[in-house]
Amino acid sequence: GAVVSQHPSRVICKSGTSVKIECRSLDFQATTMFWYRQFPKQSLMLMATSNEGSKATYEQGVEKDKFLINHASLTLSTLTVTSAHPEDSSFYICSANWILGNEQFFGPGTRLTVL
Amino acid sequence: QQPVQSPQAVILREGEDAVINCSSSKALYSVHWYRQKHGEAPVFLMILLKGGEQKGHEKISASFNEKKQQSSLYLTASQLSYSGTYFCGTPRSGAGSYQLTFGKGTKLSVIP
């Protein structure tokens, strides 16, 4: 149990294009989903908190117009990186909070490369 | 505030033991432990919710000292599969907060 999927696993795009990343909790309902960014050999940095049916909460320094988050249901959240630039290249990971507990489970991550 | 992990890195031979520490300058309500292998997402190991709580997961266990605002992860009789970076995560604010702040990680390398 407690499986979180993420799609795509890798994406390469040209500068200026938009990229959508999906995060799904496959076998449980998640009250809250989180989006993280991780640079090589660094820790996980929380970008935003996504709650089903409401607007996402962004961390300080994260542009909400650039990183659009939609939490359509208790099992799906999407992150759209708009007008991507090379500096947006990173490993993006989502996690989902189990509705009945405190555990947070991570998806497999999406490696974004912007050329 | 980001919890502080120590050591930053450790190299073990198979069968040896290791302890990874996670400490916070503010009150800790819970501690979450994860292991991440290179290029992969973090994998949940365990969560400790109460001061004095100890949990075990095969040969990996952890303790939580609420008063000292710290937690320790114990790896005994290490296996090659234990290699990876271990992160502790602590709630941003309050017991009900699900937003976690992660330490910088401890890189564990187990060699034959």
Side-chain angles (χ1 to χ4, degrees), chain A residues 34-45:
Chain A
F34 304 91
W35 287 95
Y36 294 85
R37 185 172 180 176
Q38 186 177 37
F39 291 106
K41 297 184 180 181
Q42 292 190 22
S43 187
L44 300 147
M45 298 302 296

Side-chain angles (χ1 to χ4, degrees), chain B residues 12-42:
Chain B
L12 297 176
R13 290 199 178 275
E14 271 188 293
E16 291 183 337
D17 302 340
V19 180
I20 299 171
N21 298 303
C22 175
S23 63
S24 174
S25 59
K26 62 173 188 173
L28 276 182
Y29 298 98
S30 64
V31 180
H32 304 230
W33 285 98
Y34 291 84
R35 175 173 62 213
Q36 184 179 31
K37 293 187 180 285
H38 181 70
E40 300 178 9

